Amino acid sequence: MKIEHLQHPTTHQLDQLMTIWLSGNLTAHDFVSADYWRQQAPLVREALQSAELIVGLTDGPEAYILGFIGLQNDYIAGIFICNDAQHQGLGTALLRLPKLTIINYN
């Protein structure tokens, strides 16, 4: 697995990001109507095109995205890991990047 910045994602990469985003929100926020998340998808897809993204990728020549973190300056706007890659350390690796500031509101 490798971690890298992703600038100007391709259509294929956006499709991968959106699949991970939608699945994550449907799972984590099952108390919110699935229609709500689907209605938000076009806005999120547009925002991802110009967002600062750090992605976790599979190794190999045809690497695909396993998860990502979206940043606004050094604020974490969101972190999403595909179901198959959860509990394997990707989220922790993304959160360990030195640039990030994590705020606990408790």
Side-chain angles (χ1 to χ4, degrees):
M1 174 179 9
K2 58 187 172 183
I3 295 177
E4 60 186 47
H5 280 85
L6 177 63
Q7 296 180 329
H8 312 294
T10 65
T11 299
H12 180 67
Q13 289 169 325
L14 280 170
D15 291 343
Q16 292 176 57
L17 293 167
M18 290 304 299
T19 297
I20 296 167
W21 174 85
L22 182 58
S23 175
N25 278 308
L26 291 174
T27 301
H29 306 290
D30 60 353
F31 52 89
V32 176
S33 166
D35 287 339
Y36 170 80
W37 298 114
R38 289 185 183 100
Q39 289 171 358
Q40 299 307 307
L43 296 172
V44 172
R45 186 179 183 96
E46 183 177 332
L48 287 175
Q49 293 179 51
S50 60
E52 182 178 356
L53 300 169
I54 301 171
V55 297
L57 301 161
T58 59
D59 292 320
E62 296 193 26
Y64 64 90
I65 299 170
L66 296 170
F68 69 97
I69 203 168
L71 303 172
Q72 294 175 335
N73 297 316
D74 54 345
Y75 169 77
I76 300 170
I79 181 169
F80 298 91
I81 309 297
C82 74
N83 291 338
D84 295 341
Q86 291 183 2
H87 307 289
Q88 296 178 30
L90 176 56
T92 300
L94 290 170
L95 289 171
R96 283 193 176 146
L97 296 169
K99 170 183 174 173
L100 303 179
T101 301
I102 299 173
I103 300 170
N104 184 344
Y105 289 103
N106 292 330

